[in-house]
Amino acid sequence: MLLYISAIVAVAALVVIAIAIIKTAKTVKEAMKDVTDTMKRVELKVGGITDKTDQLMNQTNRIAEDANAKLQSVDGLAASAKELRDSTEYVQHSLTKIADQVAATPGKYAKLMQQTTVLSEAAARMYYSAKQQKGKR
């Protein structure tokens, strides 16, 4: 009889273990479903973040290219400014040289320049006096 009771207790224990295993399996299955759903949501969020990151990288690359183009433009402008400075210095040097040549005319041209000045002053006086007399009439 003890043998039968032991067998019944063993069967009951196996049934209880089986029920516990079934409940645990259901709980694990629900937990796995929750984990799967969570993973899907995480994948969607990560996918969205990845898309935004790609857009940001593309925009950053465009900005970098634009900045490089503008930097090259500024470099060209700086080179042009240097060339302009060199040209201005050359013109200034040329004008100084011409002014020095005009100021220091040779003796034979000095007399000719004085005569030209006297003639131009006389011509200017005659023109203005003729204009005044014409205005009086």
Side-chain angles (χ1 to χ4, degrees):
M1 170 102 124
L2 228 38
L3 192 60
Y4 287 119
I5 293 176
S6 299
I8 292 175
V9 170
V11 169
L14 286 175
V15 169
V16 170
I17 291 175
I19 292 173
I21 289 176
I22 291 173
K23 282 186 173 184
T24 304
K26 283 184 181 181
T27 305
V28 168
K29 187 176 180 182
E30 288 176 10
M32 288 302 293
K33 184 179 180 226
D34 288 343
V35 168
T36 303
D37 291 343
T38 303
M39 289 299 293
K40 285 180 183 178
R41 286 194 307 270
V42 167
E43 286 176 2
L44 286 175
K45 297 284 182 180
V46 168
I49 291 171
T50 301
D51 291 342
K52 293 292 183 183
T53 303
D54 288 343
Q55 290 174 359
L56 184 61
M57 280 302 280
N58 289 336
Q59 188 173 7
T60 302
N61 288 339
R62 283 194 303 271
I63 290 170
E65 289 172 2
D66 186 46
N68 284 336
K70 287 180 180 174
L71 184 61
Q72 289 174 355
S73 174
V74 168
D75 288 344
L77 183 62
S80 297
K82 183 184 180 303
E83 290 174 6
L84 179 63
R85 188 187 76 216
D86 293 344
S87 298
T88 303
E89 288 175 359
Y90 178 75
V91 168
Q92 188 175 15
H93 175 71
S94 297
L95 289 176
T96 304
K97 187 175 176 183
I98 290 171
D100 289 344
Q101 288 176 352
V102 168
T105 56
K108 63 179 183 179
Y109 295 119
K111 186 176 180 180
L112 182 61
M113 287 178 71
Q114 286 176 342
Q115 290 173 349
T116 305
T117 304
V118 170
L119 284 176
S120 58
E121 286 177 1
R125 282 190 197 116
M126 288 191 306
Y127 172 75
Y128 285 115
S129 63
K131 192 173 182 182
Q132 286 176 346
Q133 288 186 7
K134 186 178 179 182
K136 290 180 183 176
R137 291 186 199 166

